[in-house]
Amino acid sequence: MIMIIGPVGAGKTSLMNAINQNCLKTEKTQSICFDGGMIDTPGEYAQIPRFYGALMVTATQAKLVIMVQDSTNFRISLPPGFAGMFPRPVIGVITKIDVVGSDHVKAQNYLKQAGVKEPYFFVSAKSGAGITQLTNYLMERGCK
Ligand SMILES: Nc1nc2c(ncn2[C@@H]2O[C@H](COP(=O)(O)OP(=O)(O)OP(=O)(O)O)[C@@H](O)[C@H]2O)c(=O)[nH]1
Ligand SMILES: [Mg+2]
């Protein structure tokens, strides 16, 4: 089981659908949702401290946590060291790399300051770039 966290609109549900190879239209995630071996979470849970407890408890059901950073939107940043609060390994995924003007380096630095250590994966749920590498990593680790 893999849990995906990150700010509202960062591309978590789209990433989950890309990994699971389903072409569902993404809609705003309203609650923590278990589907296809993954746990999708609403962006609010990463943005509003009173939800952090729920995220931490849910993370105990996952083997790995994916922290998502949008490479086109830096309005919301996660607290410094946020990744260190999770009781599971946290990896970083940078989304929307298909968008012209997306900033991979800045996105990676945002994840770094949130306490996410390597590896980082650079993906697009739209073009499919980077999804195979990420999926292979998850399978190698027995998470998927
Ligand atoms: N161009 C592009 N757009 C993307 C990509 N991934 C997601 N989006 C768009 O970004 C918006 C938000 O995507 P979601 O997957 O719903 O984001 P989320 O993180 O699940 O958001 P919440 O459920 O609100 O927390 C949607 O309009 C997606 O179509 C991508 O790789 N490329
Ligand atoms: Mg969502």
Side-chain angles (χ1 to χ4, degrees), residues 46-95:
Q47 290 177 222
I48 303 172
R50 91 187 131 80
F51 287 128
Y52 290 174
L55 278 188
M56 304 307 152
V57 170
T58 308
T60 62
Q61 301 197 45
K63 195 162 183 183
L64 181 91
V65 175
I66 292 178
M67 198 171 281
V68 167
Q69 172 64 51
D70 186 335
S71 63
T72 68
N73 183 342
F74 297 96
R75 268 181 300 133
I76 305 148
S77 61
L78 299 171
F82 188 52
M85 298 188 355
F86 288 87
R88 294 290 181 269
V90 180
I91 66 164
V93 172
I94 288 125
T95 56

mmCIF file of all heavy atoms in Angstrom, residues 46-95:
data_model
loop_
_atom_site.group_PDB
_atom_site.id
_atom_site.type_symbol
_atom_site.label_atom_id
_atom_site.label_comp_id
_atom_site.label_asym_id
_atom_site.label_seq_id
_atom_site.Cartn_x
_atom_site.Cartn_y
_atom_site.Cartn_z
ATOM 1 N N ALA A 46 -2.769 17.937 3.993
ATOM 2 C CA ALA A 46 -1.354 18.310 4.086
ATOM 3 C C ALA A 46 -1.206 19.804 4.374
ATOM 4 O O ALA A 46 -0.117 20.265 4.702
ATOM 5 C CB ALA A 46 -0.638 17.954 2.790
ATOM 6 N N GLN A 47 -2.290 20.538 4.224
ATOM 7 C CA GLN A 47 -2.204 21.992 4.365
ATOM 8 C C GLN A 47 -2.734 22.499 5.703
ATOM 9 O O GLN A 47 -2.432 23.621 6.100
ATOM 10 C CB GLN A 47 -3.008 22.673 3.245
ATOM 11 C CG GLN A 47 -2.369 22.525 1.892
ATOM 12 C CD GLN A 47 -3.214 23.152 0.796
ATOM 13 O OE1 GLN A 47 -3.357 22.575 -0.260
ATOM 14 N NE2 GLN A 47 -3.783 24.325 1.046
ATOM 15 N N ILE A 48 -3.573 21.699 6.345
ATOM 16 C CA ILE A 48 -4.231 22.176 7.563
ATOM 17 C C ILE A 48 -3.750 21.332 8.746
ATOM 18 O O ILE A 48 -4.030 20.139 8.823
ATOM 19 C CB ILE A 48 -5.777 22.101 7.411
ATOM 20 C CG1 ILE A 48 -6.200 22.922 6.182
ATOM 21 C CG2 ILE A 48 -6.467 22.595 8.675
ATOM 22 C CD1 ILE A 48 -7.660 22.782 5.809
ATOM 23 N N PRO A 49 -2.960 21.944 9.656
ATOM 24 C CA PRO A 49 -2.314 21.173 10.723
ATOM 25 C C PRO A 49 -3.257 20.296 11.531
ATOM 26 O O PRO A 49 -2.856 19.225 11.975
ATOM 27 C CB PRO A 49 -1.662 22.255 11.582
ATOM 28 C CG PRO A 49 -1.359 23.344 10.596
ATOM 29 C CD PRO A 49 -2.515 23.353 9.627
ATOM 30 N N ARG A 50 -4.527 20.677 11.682
ATOM 31 C CA ARG A 50 -5.373 19.825 12.531
ATOM 32 C C ARG A 50 -5.680 18.488 11.868
ATOM 33 O O ARG A 50 -6.170 17.574 12.505
ATOM 34 C CB ARG A 50 -6.601 20.605 12.999
ATOM 35 C CG ARG A 50 -7.831 20.562 12.212
ATOM 36 C CD ARG A 50 -8.858 21.547 12.797
ATOM 37 N NE ARG A 50 -9.400 22.369 11.740
ATOM 38 C CZ ARG A 50 -10.357 21.952 10.927
ATOM 39 N NH1 ARG A 50 -10.871 20.766 11.066
ATOM 40 N NH2 ARG A 50 -10.792 22.739 9.956
ATOM 41 N N PHE A 51 -5.366 18.345 10.583
ATOM 42 C CA PHE A 51 -5.553 17.055 9.909
ATOM 43 C C PHE A 51 -4.292 16.184 9.951
ATOM 44 O O PHE A 51 -4.323 15.033 9.518
ATOM 45 C CB PHE A 51 -5.918 17.258 8.437
ATOM 46 C CG PHE A 51 -7.321 17.760 8.199
ATOM 47 C CD1 PHE A 51 -7.543 18.884 7.409
ATOM 48 C CD2 PHE A 51 -8.416 17.097 8.735
ATOM 49 C CE1 PHE A 51 -8.830 19.357 7.173
ATOM 50 C CE2 PHE A 51 -9.711 17.558 8.507
ATOM 51 C CZ PHE A 51 -9.911 18.691 7.728
ATOM 52 N N TYR A 52 -3.189 16.734 10.409
ATOM 53 C CA TYR A 52 -1.928 15.984 10.332
ATOM 54 C C TYR A 52 -2.016 14.640 11.057
ATOM 55 O O TYR A 52 -1.485 13.639 10.584
ATOM 56 C CB TYR A 52 -0.747 16.787 10.908
ATOM 57 C CG TYR A 52 -0.317 17.977 10.093
ATOM 58 C CD1 TYR A 52 0.665 18.846 10.576
ATOM 59 C CD2 TYR A 52 -0.886 18.248 8.845
ATOM 60 C CE1 TYR A 52 1.073 19.953 9.838
ATOM 61 C CE2 TYR A 52 -0.482 19.358 8.113
ATOM 62 C CZ TYR A 52 0.491 20.201 8.619
ATOM 63 O OH TYR A 52 0.890 21.290 7.904
ATOM 64 N N GLY A 53 -2.704 14.642 12.211
ATOM 65 C CA GLY A 53 -2.836 13.411 12.993
ATOM 66 C C GLY A 53 -3.465 12.306 12.162
ATOM 67 O O GLY A 53 -3.006 11.159 12.165
ATOM 68 N N ALA A 54 -4.510 12.660 11.401
ATOM 69 C CA ALA A 54 -5.203 11.673 10.554
ATOM 70 C C ALA A 54 -4.254 11.135 9.489
ATOM 71 O O ALA A 54 -4.243 9.937 9.201
ATOM 72 C CB ALA A 54 -6.426 12.312 9.904
ATOM 73 N N LEU A 55 -3.428 12.019 8.928
ATOM 74 C CA LEU A 55 -2.457 11.569 7.911
ATOM 75 C C LEU A 55 -1.453 10.595 8.517
ATOM 76 O O LEU A 55 -1.131 9.570 7.920
ATOM 77 C CB LEU A 55 -1.687 12.758 7.321
ATOM 78 C CG LEU A 55 -2.317 13.573 6.207
ATOM 79 C CD1 LEU A 55 -1.299 14.560 5.665
ATOM 80 C CD2 LEU A 55 -2.850 12.688 5.085
ATOM 81 N N MET A 56 -0.954 10.938 9.712
ATOM 82 C CA MET A 56 0.062 10.081 10.358
ATOM 83 C C MET A 56 -0.503 8.709 10.678
ATOM 84 O O MET A 56 0.147 7.690 10.466
ATOM 85 C CB MET A 56 0.578 10.703 11.671
ATOM 86 C CG MET A 56 1.147 12.089 11.543
ATOM 87 S SD MET A 56 2.400 12.209 10.288
ATOM 88 C CE MET A 56 2.234 13.917 9.819
ATOM 89 N N VAL A 57 -1.733 8.672 11.198
ATOM 90 C CA VAL A 57 -2.352 7.388 11.550
ATOM 91 C C VAL A 57 -2.585 6.562 10.287
ATOM 92 O O VAL A 57 -2.286 5.369 10.239
ATOM 93 C CB VAL A 57 -3.683 7.618 12.319
ATOM 94 C CG1 VAL A 57 -4.439 6.310 12.476
ATOM 95 C CG2 VAL A 57 -3.410 8.233 13.675
ATOM 96 N N THR A 58 -3.061 7.201 9.244
ATOM 97 C CA THR A 58 -3.332 6.479 7.990
ATOM 98 C C THR A 58 -2.033 5.958 7.391
ATOM 99 O O THR A 58 -2.010 4.874 6.791
ATOM 100 C CB THR A 58 -4.063 7.402 6.991
ATOM 101 O OG1 THR A 58 -5.194 7.956 7.650
ATOM 102 C CG2 THR A 58 -4.517 6.633 5.763
ATOM 103 N N ALA A 59 -0.950 6.708 7.562
ATOM 104 C CA ALA A 59 0.345 6.299 6.992
ATOM 105 C C ALA A 59 0.815 4.966 7.562
ATOM 106 O O ALA A 59 1.568 4.243 6.911
ATOM 107 C CB ALA A 59 1.397 7.374 7.239
ATOM 108 N N THR A 60 0.337 4.610 8.747
ATOM 109 C CA THR A 60 0.769 3.327 9.329
ATOM 110 C C THR A 60 0.248 2.153 8.495
ATOM 111 O O THR A 60 0.767 1.057 8.574
ATOM 112 C CB THR A 60 0.289 3.150 10.793
ATOM 113 O OG1 THR A 60 -1.135 3.158 10.799
ATOM 114 C CG2 THR A 60 0.826 4.239 11.696
ATOM 115 N N GLN A 61 -0.758 2.404 7.672
ATOM 116 C CA GLN A 61 -1.297 1.330 6.818
ATOM 117 C C GLN A 61 -0.547 1.229 5.496
ATOM 118 O O GLN A 61 -0.817 0.340 4.682
ATOM 119 C CB GLN A 61 -2.778 1.587 6.542
ATOM 120 C CG GLN A 61 -3.563 1.640 7.832
ATOM 121 C CD GLN A 61 -5.039 1.469 7.598
ATOM 122 O OE1 GLN A 61 -5.454 0.606 6.857
ATOM 123 N NE2 GLN A 61 -5.821 2.326 8.233
ATOM 124 N N ALA A 62 0.368 2.161 5.260
ATOM 125 C CA ALA A 62 1.116 2.177 4.002
ATOM 126 C C ALA A 62 2.544 1.691 4.245
ATOM 127 O O ALA A 62 3.055 1.748 5.358
ATOM 128 C CB ALA A 62 1.144 3.589 3.434
ATOM 129 N N LYS A 63 3.163 1.224 3.154
ATOM 130 C CA LYS A 63 4.560 0.809 3.248
ATOM 131 C C LYS A 63 5.461 1.998 2.922
ATOM 132 O O LYS A 63 6.606 2.078 3.356
ATOM 133 C CB LYS A 63 4.778 -0.321 2.234
ATOM 134 C CG LYS A 63 6.038 -1.092 2.437
ATOM 135 C CD LYS A 63 5.973 -2.428 1.696
ATOM 136 C CE LYS A 63 7.207 -3.248 1.964
ATOM 137 N NZ LYS A 63 7.210 -4.489 1.216
ATOM 138 N N LEU A 64 4.916 2.906 2.122
ATOM 139 C CA LEU A 64 5.700 4.026 1.602
ATOM 140 C C LEU A 64 4.771 5.216 1.407
ATOM 141 O O LEU A 64 3.597 5.041 1.071
ATOM 142 C CB LEU A 64 6.272 3.607 0.239
ATOM 143 C CG LEU A 64 7.152 4.610 -0.480
ATOM 144 C CD1 LEU A 64 8.606 4.350 -0.068
ATOM 145 C CD2 LEU A 64 7.024 4.455 -1.983
ATOM 146 N N VAL A 65 5.314 6.410 1.614
ATOM 147 C CA VAL A 65 4.534 7.632 1.382
ATOM 148 C C VAL A 65 5.152 8.384 0.206
ATOM 149 O O VAL A 65 6.377 8.560 0.148
ATOM 150 C CB VAL A 65 4.534 8.528 2.640
ATOM 151 C CG1 VAL A 65 3.835 9.853 2.371
ATOM 152 C CG2 VAL A 65 3.894 7.806 3.823
ATOM 153 N N ILE A 66 4.314 8.815 -0.728
ATOM 154 C CA ILE A 66 4.767 9.671 -1.831
ATOM 155 C C ILE A 66 4.348 11.101 -1.505
ATOM 156 O O ILE A 66 3.164 11.376 -1.308
ATOM 157 C CB ILE A 66 4.127 9.250 -3.176
ATOM 158 C CG1 ILE A 66 4.644 7.878 -3.614
ATOM 159 C CG2 ILE A 66 4.400 10.298 -4.254
ATOM 160 C CD1 ILE A 66 4.008 7.370 -4.912
ATOM 161 N N MET A 67 5.335 12.003 -1.431
ATOM 162 C CA MET A 67 5.012 13.408 -1.231
ATOM 163 C C MET A 67 5.121 14.116 -2.576
ATOM 164 O O MET A 67 6.152 14.053 -3.230
ATOM 165 C CB MET A 67 5.937 14.043 -0.192
ATOM 166 C CG MET A 67 5.380 15.337 0.345
ATOM 167 S SD MET A 67 6.312 15.974 1.754
ATOM 168 C CE MET A 67 5.704 14.989 3.093
ATOM 169 N N VAL A 68 4.029 14.752 -2.981
ATOM 170 C CA VAL A 68 3.930 15.330 -4.317
ATOM 171 C C VAL A 68 4.180 16.837 -4.285
ATOM 172 O O VAL A 68 3.668 17.543 -3.415
ATOM 173 C CB VAL A 68 2.525 15.018 -4.894
ATOM 174 C CG1 VAL A 68 2.245 15.841 -6.136
ATOM 175 C CG2 VAL A 68 2.385 13.538 -5.212
ATOM 176 N N GLN A 69 4.985 17.314 -5.238
ATOM 177 C CA GLN A 69 5.188 18.757 -5.427
ATOM 178 C C GLN A 69 4.860 19.101 -6.876
ATOM 179 O O GLN A 69 5.424 18.530 -7.807
ATOM 180 C CB GLN A 69 6.628 19.150 -5.092
ATOM 181 C CG GLN A 69 6.973 20.589 -5.435
ATOM 182 C CD GLN A 69 6.175 21.607 -4.619
ATOM 183 O OE1 GLN A 69 6.113 21.534 -3.403
ATOM 184 N NE2 GLN A 69 5.555 22.578 -5.305
ATOM 185 N N ASP A 70 3.962 20.046 -7.054
ATOM 186 C CA ASP A 70 3.608 20.569 -8.377
ATOM 187 C C ASP A 70 4.776 21.429 -8.873
ATOM 188 O O ASP A 70 5.238 22.318 -8.155
ATOM 189 C CB ASP A 70 2.343 21.414 -8.186
ATOM 190 C CG ASP A 70 1.741 21.916 -9.482
ATOM 191 O OD1 ASP A 70 2.471 22.049 -10.474
ATOM 192 O OD2 ASP A 70 0.537 22.202 -9.465
ATOM 193 N N SER A 71 5.251 21.169 -10.104
ATOM 194 C CA SER A 71 6.386 21.953 -10.626
ATOM 195 C C SER A 71 5.938 23.248 -11.295
ATOM 196 O O SER A 71 6.748 23.968 -11.868
ATOM 197 C CB SER A 71 7.171 21.106 -11.631
ATOM 198 O OG SER A 71 6.346 20.783 -12.738
ATOM 199 N N THR A 72 4.628 23.532 -11.211
ATOM 200 C CA THR A 72 4.117 24.753 -11.857
ATOM 201 C C THR A 72 3.472 25.704 -10.849
ATOM 202 O O THR A 72 3.008 26.778 -11.228
ATOM 203 C CB THR A 72 3.046 24.407 -12.911
ATOM 204 O OG1 THR A 72 1.874 23.900 -12.254
ATOM 205 C CG2 THR A 72 3.553 23.369 -13.889
ATOM 206 N N ASN A 73 3.385 25.276 -9.602
ATOM 207 C CA ASN A 73 2.648 26.075 -8.631
ATOM 208 C C ASN A 73 3.344 26.000 -7.274
ATOM 209 O O ASN A 73 3.456 24.930 -6.681
ATOM 210 C CB ASN A 73 1.216 25.525 -8.528
ATOM 211 C CG ASN A 73 0.348 26.327 -7.587
ATOM 212 O OD1 ASN A 73 0.832 27.087 -6.748
ATOM 213 N ND2 ASN A 73 -0.951 26.167 -7.707
ATOM 214 N N PHE A 74 3.800 27.158 -6.805
ATOM 215 C CA PHE A 74 4.571 27.172 -5.552
ATOM 216 C C PHE A 74 3.878 28.028 -4.490
ATOM 217 O O PHE A 74 4.499 28.498 -3.552
ATOM 218 C CB PHE A 74 5.991 27.669 -5.830
ATOM 219 C CG PHE A 74 6.733 26.743 -6.765
ATOM 220 C CD1 PHE A 74 6.789 27.001 -8.132
ATOM 221 C CD2 PHE A 74 7.334 25.592 -6.286
ATOM 222 C CE1 PHE A 74 7.442 26.136 -9.004
ATOM 223 C CE2 PHE A 74 7.990 24.716 -7.144
ATOM 224 C CZ PHE A 74 8.051 24.988 -8.499
ATOM 225 N N ARG A 75 2.572 28.219 -4.668
ATOM 226 C CA ARG A 75 1.846 29.068 -3.719
ATOM 227 C C ARG A 75 1.783 28.434 -2.326
ATOM 228 O O ARG A 75 1.875 29.116 -1.324
ATOM 229 C CB ARG A 75 0.427 29.349 -4.221
ATOM 230 C CG ARG A 75 0.339 30.635 -5.036
ATOM 231 C CD ARG A 75 -1.075 30.871 -5.492
ATOM 232 N NE ARG A 75 -1.526 29.772 -6.329
ATOM 233 C CZ ARG A 75 -2.704 29.151 -6.210
ATOM 234 N NH1 ARG A 75 -3.554 29.521 -5.287
ATOM 235 N NH2 ARG A 75 -3.028 28.167 -7.010
ATOM 236 N N ILE A 76 1.607 27.117 -2.316
ATOM 237 C CA ILE A 76 1.503 26.443 -1.016
ATOM 238 C C ILE A 76 2.759 25.628 -0.792
ATOM 239 O O ILE A 76 3.158 24.864 -1.659
ATOM 240 C CB ILE A 76 0.309 25.464 -1.008
ATOM 241 C CG1 ILE A 76 -0.976 26.186 -1.394
ATOM 242 C CG2 ILE A 76 0.179 24.791 0.360
ATOM 243 C CD1 ILE A 76 -1.937 25.303 -2.131
ATOM 244 N N SER A 77 3.414 25.827 0.359
ATOM 245 C CA SER A 77 4.543 24.952 0.637
ATOM 246 C C SER A 77 4.271 24.194 1.932
ATOM 247 O O SER A 77 3.575 24.672 2.821
ATOM 248 C CB SER A 77 5.839 25.740 0.720
ATOM 249 O OG SER A 77 5.764 26.670 1.759
ATOM 250 N N LEU A 78 4.814 22.993 1.987
ATOM 251 C CA LEU A 78 4.618 22.165 3.170
ATOM 252 C C LEU A 78 5.593 22.623 4.251
ATOM 253 O O LEU A 78 6.628 23.205 3.947
ATOM 254 C CB LEU A 78 4.844 20.701 2.787
ATOM 255 C CG LEU A 78 3.859 20.211 1.714
ATOM 256 C CD1 LEU A 78 4.253 18.837 1.195
ATOM 257 C CD2 LEU A 78 2.437 20.179 2.265
ATOM 258 N N PRO A 79 5.271 22.378 5.509
ATOM 259 C CA PRO A 79 6.138 22.857 6.584
ATOM 260 C C PRO A 79 7.539 22.240 6.518
ATOM 261 O O PRO A 79 7.672 21.092 6.071
ATOM 262 C CB PRO A 79 5.438 22.381 7.858
ATOM 263 C CG PRO A 79 4.095 21.931 7.461
ATOM 264 C CD PRO A 79 4.102 21.641 6.001
ATOM 265 N N PRO A 80 8.574 22.963 6.963
ATOM 266 C CA PRO A 80 9.922 22.392 6.975
ATOM 267 C C PRO A 80 9.935 21.093 7.784
ATOM 268 O O PRO A 80 9.342 21.020 8.861
ATOM 269 C CB PRO A 80 10.763 23.463 7.681
ATOM 270 C CG PRO A 80 9.969 24.712 7.582
ATOM 271 C CD PRO A 80 8.526 24.321 7.511
ATOM 272 N N GLY A 81 10.571 20.084 7.228
ATOM 273 C CA GLY A 81 10.685 18.818 7.957
ATOM 274 C C GLY A 81 9.427 17.978 8.022
ATOM 275 O O GLY A 81 9.379 16.965 8.720
ATOM 276 N N PHE A 82 8.400 18.388 7.283
ATOM 277 C CA PHE A 82 7.104 17.691 7.327
ATOM 278 C C PHE A 82 7.253 16.184 7.118
ATOM 279 O O PHE A 82 6.624 15.366 7.814
ATOM 280 C CB PHE A 82 6.200 18.285 6.243
ATOM 281 C CG PHE A 82 4.769 17.827 6.263
ATOM 282 C CD1 PHE A 82 4.011 17.897 7.427
ATOM 283 C CD2 PHE A 82 4.158 17.352 5.105
ATOM 284 C CE1 PHE A 82 2.677 17.494 7.437
ATOM 285 C CE2 PHE A 82 2.835 16.951 5.109
ATOM 286 C CZ PHE A 82 2.091 17.019 6.279
ATOM 287 N N ALA A 83 8.095 15.789 6.165
ATOM 288 C CA ALA A 83 8.240 14.362 5.823
ATOM 289 C C ALA A 83 8.724 13.548 7.013
ATOM 290 O O ALA A 83 8.382 12.371 7.153
ATOM 291 C CB ALA A 83 9.201 14.194 4.652
ATOM 292 N N GLY A 84 9.503 14.186 7.896
ATOM 293 C CA GLY A 84 10.059 13.494 9.056
ATOM 294 C C GLY A 84 9.012 13.070 10.062
ATOM 295 O O GLY A 84 9.280 12.255 10.947
ATOM 296 N N MET A 85 7.799 13.611 9.959
ATOM 297 C CA MET A 85 6.736 13.265 10.907
ATOM 298 C C MET A 85 6.087 11.922 10.588
ATOM 299 O O MET A 85 5.362 11.372 11.408
ATOM 300 C CB MET A 85 5.650 14.349 10.904
ATOM 301 C CG MET A 85 6.196 15.689 11.340
ATOM 302 S SD MET A 85 5.048 17.060 11.608
ATOM 303 C CE MET A 85 3.467 16.532 11.136
ATOM 304 N N PHE A 86 6.346 11.399 9.379
ATOM 305 C CA PHE A 86 5.665 10.169 8.974
ATOM 306 C C PHE A 86 6.406 8.931 9.464
ATOM 307 O O PHE A 86 7.634 8.882 9.438
ATOM 308 C CB PHE A 86 5.502 10.125 7.448
ATOM 309 C CG PHE A 86 4.477 11.100 6.975
ATOM 310 C CD1 PHE A 86 4.831 12.413 6.706
ATOM 311 C CD2 PHE A 86 3.149 10.729 6.862
ATOM 312 C CE1 PHE A 86 3.880 13.340 6.321
ATOM 313 C CE2 PHE A 86 2.193 11.646 6.476
ATOM 314 C CZ PHE A 86 2.560 12.955 6.204
ATOM 315 N N PRO A 87 5.638 7.927 9.885
ATOM 316 C CA PRO A 87 6.262 6.706 10.397
ATOM 317 C C PRO A 87 6.694 5.744 9.294
ATOM 318 O O PRO A 87 6.949 4.591 9.559
ATOM 319 C CB PRO A 87 5.129 6.086 11.236
ATOM 320 C CG PRO A 87 3.875 6.501 10.539
ATOM 321 C CD PRO A 87 4.159 7.860 9.966
ATOM 322 N N ARG A 88 6.773 6.228 8.057
ATOM 323 C CA ARG A 88 7.136 5.397 6.911
ATOM 324 C C ARG A 88 8.127 6.163 6.031
ATOM 325 O O ARG A 88 8.181 7.390 6.090
ATOM 326 C CB ARG A 88 5.888 5.067 6.070
ATOM 327 C CG ARG A 88 4.875 4.185 6.774
ATOM 328 C CD ARG A 88 5.395 2.763 6.953
ATOM 329 N NE ARG A 88 4.412 1.909 7.614
ATOM 330 C CZ ARG A 88 4.336 1.728 8.938
ATOM 331 N NH1 ARG A 88 5.168 2.359 9.751
ATOM 332 N NH2 ARG A 88 3.428 0.921 9.456
ATOM 333 N N PRO A 89 8.881 5.435 5.166
ATOM 334 C CA PRO A 89 9.764 6.144 4.230
ATOM 335 C C PRO A 89 8.949 7.060 3.314
ATOM 336 O O PRO A 89 7.839 6.706 2.914
ATOM 337 C CB PRO A 89 10.400 5.016 3.412
ATOM 338 C CG PRO A 89 10.122 3.754 4.139
ATOM 339 C CD PRO A 89 8.928 3.975 5.005
ATOM 340 N N VAL A 90 9.514 8.232 3.030
ATOM 341 C CA VAL A 90 8.831 9.201 2.167
ATOM 342 C C VAL A 90 9.703 9.449 0.938
ATOM 343 O O VAL A 90 10.892 9.754 1.079
ATOM 344 C CB VAL A 90 8.595 10.534 2.909
ATOM 345 C CG1 VAL A 90 7.876 11.537 2.009
ATOM 346 C CG2 VAL A 90 7.792 10.316 4.188
ATOM 347 N N ILE A 91 9.127 9.306 -0.255
ATOM 348 C CA ILE A 91 9.851 9.672 -1.479
ATOM 349 C C ILE A 91 9.164 10.879 -2.116
ATOM 350 O O ILE A 91 8.004 11.173 -1.812
ATOM 351 C CB ILE A 91 9.949 8.507 -2.494
ATOM 352 C CG1 ILE A 91 8.572 8.119 -3.046
ATOM 353 C CG2 ILE A 91 10.650 7.307 -1.875
ATOM 354 C CD1 ILE A 91 8.633 7.260 -4.305
ATOM 355 N N GLY A 92 9.877 11.575 -3.006
ATOM 356 C CA GLY A 92 9.348 12.782 -3.619
ATOM 357 C C GLY A 92 8.958 12.566 -5.074
ATOM 358 O O GLY A 92 9.700 11.932 -5.817
ATOM 359 N N VAL A 93 7.800 13.084 -5.452
ATOM 360 C CA VAL A 93 7.396 13.046 -6.855
ATOM 361 C C VAL A 93 7.020 14.453 -7.301
ATOM 362 O O VAL A 93 6.175 15.108 -6.685
ATOM 363 C CB VAL A 93 6.224 12.066 -7.099
ATOM 364 C CG1 VAL A 93 5.692 12.203 -8.517
ATOM 365 C CG2 VAL A 93 6.666 10.625 -6.849
ATOM 366 N N ILE A 94 7.691 14.897 -8.359
ATOM 367 C CA ILE A 94 7.444 16.218 -8.919
ATOM 368 C C ILE A 94 6.529 16.048 -10.128
ATOM 369 O O ILE A 94 6.843 15.283 -11.049
ATOM 370 C CB ILE A 94 8.794 16.866 -9.287
ATOM 371 C CG1 ILE A 94 9.517 17.245 -7.985
ATOM 372 C CG2 ILE A 94 8.606 18.116 -10.152
ATOM 373 C CD1 ILE A 94 10.855 16.693 -7.836
ATOM 374 N N THR A 95 5.398 16.738 -10.102
ATOM 375 C CA THR A 95 4.352 16.511 -11.110
ATOM 376 C C THR A 95 4.296 17.640 -12.156
ATOM 377 O O THR A 95 4.875 18.712 -11.960
ATOM 378 C CB THR A 95 2.976 16.417 -10.435
ATOM 379 O OG1 THR A 95 2.761 17.607 -9.684
ATOM 380 C CG2 THR A 95 2.885 15.211 -9.519
#
